[in-house]
Amino acid sequence: MDTAGTPDAVGLELDDIQSGVLHPRPSPYVGTYVLLRIDDRAAGRELMRRLGTVVSADPPTSEPARGAWVTVALTYPGLQALGVPRESLDSFAPEFREGMAARAAELGDVGESSPANWEEPLGSPDVHVALAALSPDAGRLAAVVERARHAHQELPGVEVIWRQDCYQLPTGRTSFGFKDGIGNPAVEGSGIPGSNPRERPIKAGEFLLGYPDETGGLPPMPTPELLGRNGTYIVFRKLHTRVAAYRRYLHERAASREEEALLGAKMVGRWHSGAPLALSPDRDDPELGADPARNNDFDYHDDPRGFRCPAGAHARRANPRDALDHEGSVNVRLHRMIRRGTSYGPELPEGVLDDDGADRGIVFVFVGTHLKRQFEFVKTQWLNGGIFIGTPTEKDPLVGPNDESGVFTIPQRPIRRRLQGLPPFVVVRGGEYCFVPGLRALRWLAELNT
Ligand code: HEM
């Protein structure tokens, strides 16, 4: 098995990279997301200086299970508010400069999910700085949040404009009932092992600016080099989940709890426990789901027609592994994403089919250097459409922008099953494209004198 290699092999400057970029989140976890607006340039720079100290206090080699850290990210209006020179601003990725709200039509964020309906101030030019603090327990979170608060409180000209707490549900699963955060690629040179022994570590440049990516070249990097190097982009989206509607949908189409669980698993590609359909097609296998050595050790070449895991299942769409190898033009390694999402909101108690009005879902977080060919490609081509799997009119059954007329095909013998009338189970409440600077870059931002 290939490992993620030693840090020396690729020469990643680990002491310049923010901890949250490379380290998987702890499990269990508690966390908080805070958005800030910079009204005063000098105060914003002071904020960068202070946050630089907070972030570099996180030992980059800390054990994920013990660690608690803060990640600092900036939106394009945030870079503008700090007075980053025009030449440098223009060197950022076009999608980042446009911002997520401007990409809504492209991303399928329409109807209820459209920016007009987003939670304030998400998607507005007021969002400048995003902070994420994550920790294995409330005690350590409080300590790390306190350090971050110290950095921005009593700084006139810097306002907290939004906050979202998150925590892992007692079940260890996300609101729809599935274990999440299992499949993530290994980053070459990080020293952190990946979860799929069949997937070679992905070139560091797919996730960090300043290193070669899967094309062999360097990803386009903002200038000056001091600002771009060891940075990356993140996407964060608050995704509200309609759990009661999802449960009712399955309930109305299944003759038993077992069949409900099976239909749900077919939609996701994994059972509630995390056990993949590819390895356990007929029933859940909690031991397999809980075993990190086995629960991601599979691909799809022996299931081309999707009898075990439908080609349209969420996880198979989002990472088709070797299923597209026959399509000469598709290199799945160019579309890999690191996910760092977390759950928010209370659990809808087991068996409840009526909505209780609570806000629950996931804060989806993607990390990568290519917003367009990683996050946007996967979202638009693989989740929002089905041309690549020969079902052009079908969208992701769980997270796709379905409109009450969505269809999901489950291959089975003797005849396939079609689920019809799929409504949207996920509503976008807002989000942002951000840039995560390296630590030297944070200092560079703090010392700007424009
Ligand atoms: C509320 C929305 C979402 C929910 C509830 C959700 C849930 C899940 C679950 C349960 C899994 C399987 C567990 C795992 O492999 O970690 C998964 C996998 C995955 N999801 Fe999502 N997801 C959501 C949105 C998204 C979006 C918007 C994207 C991409 C744009 C995405 C990309 C992925 C990827 C890349 C995987 C890993 C697939 C693999 O490597 O096998 N997900 N998701």
Side-chain angles (χ1 to χ4, degrees):
M1 176 192 141
D2 231 331
T3 71
T6 59
D8 296 357
V10 181
L12 290 189
E13 295 168 336
L14 292 177
D15 57 355
D16 194 39
I17 298 164
Q18 293 198 39
S19 290
V21 169
L22 288 176
H23 286 105
R25 60 164 162 69
S27 177
Y29 60 81
V30 279
T32 190
Y33 301 88
V34 176
L35 297 179
L36 304 157
R37 187 186 64 229
I38 298 170
D39 294 324
D40 175 81
R41 189 175 278 194
R45 291 171 183 173
E46 174 61 14
L47 177 71
M48 293 300 114
R49 192 188 63 73
R50 295 185 189 176
L51 287 174
T53 318
V54 173
V55 173
S56 54
D58 297 332
T61 49
S62 64
E63 291 261 322
R66 288 187 301 141
W69 55 72
V70 177
T71 304
V72 181
L74 291 140
T75 60
Y76 183 71
L79 294 173
Q80 286 175 312
L82 287 172
V84 169
R86 167 63 39 207
E87 199 188 334
S88 171
L89 289 172
D90 290 346
S91 66
F92 281 83
E95 303 75 32
F96 168 74
R97 282 187 273 146
E98 276 184 53
M100 186 186 289
R103 310 284 297 162
E106 179 88 10
L107 293 172
D109 293 348
V110 293
E112 276 179 286
S113 291
S114 76
N117 297 319
W118 285 3
E119 208 172 288
E120 296 244 328
L122 300 176
S124 82
D126 278 356
V127 180
H128 294 162
V129 181
L131 301 181
L134 271 185
S135 156
D137 56 63
R140 273 176 284 182
L141 178 69
V144 83
V145 165
E146 193 44 38
R147 284 197 279 136
R149 204 190 335 261
H150 241 82
H152 63 74
Q153 75 182 5
E154 289 164 26
L155 205 51
V158 172
E159 288 293 326
V160 173
I161 52 171
W162 187 80
R163 177 174 173 162
Q164 176 70 57
D165 292 331
C166 63
Y167 55 92
Q168 194 169 60
L169 294 172
T171 53
R173 304 183 182 171
T174 48
S175 53
F176 287 128
F178 293 88
K179 181 169 168 176
D180 194 6
I182 303 170
N184 265 317
V187 182
E188 193 177 73
S190 68
I192 301 170
S195 55
N196 179 358
R198 300 173 190 224
E199 181 181 61
R200 266 182 303 115
I202 306 287
K203 293 285 179 209
E206 293 292 319
F207 307 108
L208 287 165
L209 295 164
Y211 304 89
D213 65 18
E214 285 288 327
T215 66
L218 291 172
M221 187 166 81
T223 56
E225 183 170 343
L226 204 49
L227 176 61
R229 194 171 172 78
N230 294 321
T232 190
Y233 293 103
I234 60 167
V235 169
F236 101 89
R237 280 160 81 77
K238 179 172 173 181
L239 302 175
H240 170 78
T241 51
R242 291 194 165 143
V243 178
Y246 165 77
R247 286 184 188 168
R248 274 201 311 277
Y249 182 88
L250 294 182
H251 188 68
E252 284 159 11
R253 282 153 186 87
S256 64
R257 292 295 290 266
E258 289 70 33
E259 196 184 350
E260 279 177 39
L262 176 68
L263 294 181
K266 292 282 185 188
M267 284 185 179
V268 171
R270 289 185 184 266
W271 297 90
H272 278 182
S273 74
L277 286 178
L279 299 180
S280 182
D282 301 321
R283 63 193 57 82
D284 199 352
D285 179 347
E287 254 177 55
L288 170 62
D291 183 352
R294 294 190 294 142
N295 67 14
N296 206 26
D297 184 3
F298 66 92
D299 39 37
Y300 297 115
H301 70 269
D302 50 356
D303 185 25
R305 300 182 58 195
F307 286 116
R308 268 184 273 165
C309 177
H314 170 65
R316 183 164 171 169
R317 282 173 176 267
N319 178 14
R321 304 184 184 221
D322 59 351
L324 307 179
D325 281 1
H326 58 282
E327 320 270 334
S329 56
V330 185
N331 178 359
V332 170
R333 295 171 65 83
L334 297 179
H335 310 293
R336 298 292 283 123
M337 321 196 305
I338 291 183
R339 290 172 304 141
R340 294 272 180 265
T342 53
S343 275
Y344 74 88
E347 189 177 5
L348 186 66
E350 173 108 34
V352 173
L353 298 181
D354 291 318
D355 190 20
D356 61 358
D359 188 13
R360 56 175 61 85
I362 63 169
V363 175
F364 171 89
V365 177
F366 149 92
V367 180
T369 51
H370 294 278
L371 288 170
K372 195 168 177 69
R373 79 159 151 77
Q374 294 170 322
F375 169 71
E376 290 199 345
F377 179 91
V378 171
K379 178 76 175 99
T380 60
Q381 306 300 307
W382 289 352
L383 302 189
N384 293 1
I387 294 174
F388 76 114
I389 47 173
T391 51
T393 54
E394 294 189 21
K395 302 178 170 65
D396 188 303
L398 187 71
V399 315
N402 286 301
D403 59 357
E404 314 286 340
S405 65
V407 176
F408 174 51
T409 304
I410 304 175
Q412 60 181 26
R413 294 190 180 93
I415 45 165
R416 70 185 167 213
R417 178 160 182 190
R418 280 228 158 101
L419 297 184
Q420 316 263 2
L422 275 163
F425 295 123
V426 173
V427 180
V428 182
R429 288 275 157 91
E432 300 288 345
Y433 287 164
C434 301
F435 173 66
V436 185
L439 302 188
R440 282 196 297 268
L442 272 174
R443 283 197 294 278
W444 183 87
L445 290 166
E447 285 160 15
L448 279 169
N449 58 7
T450 48

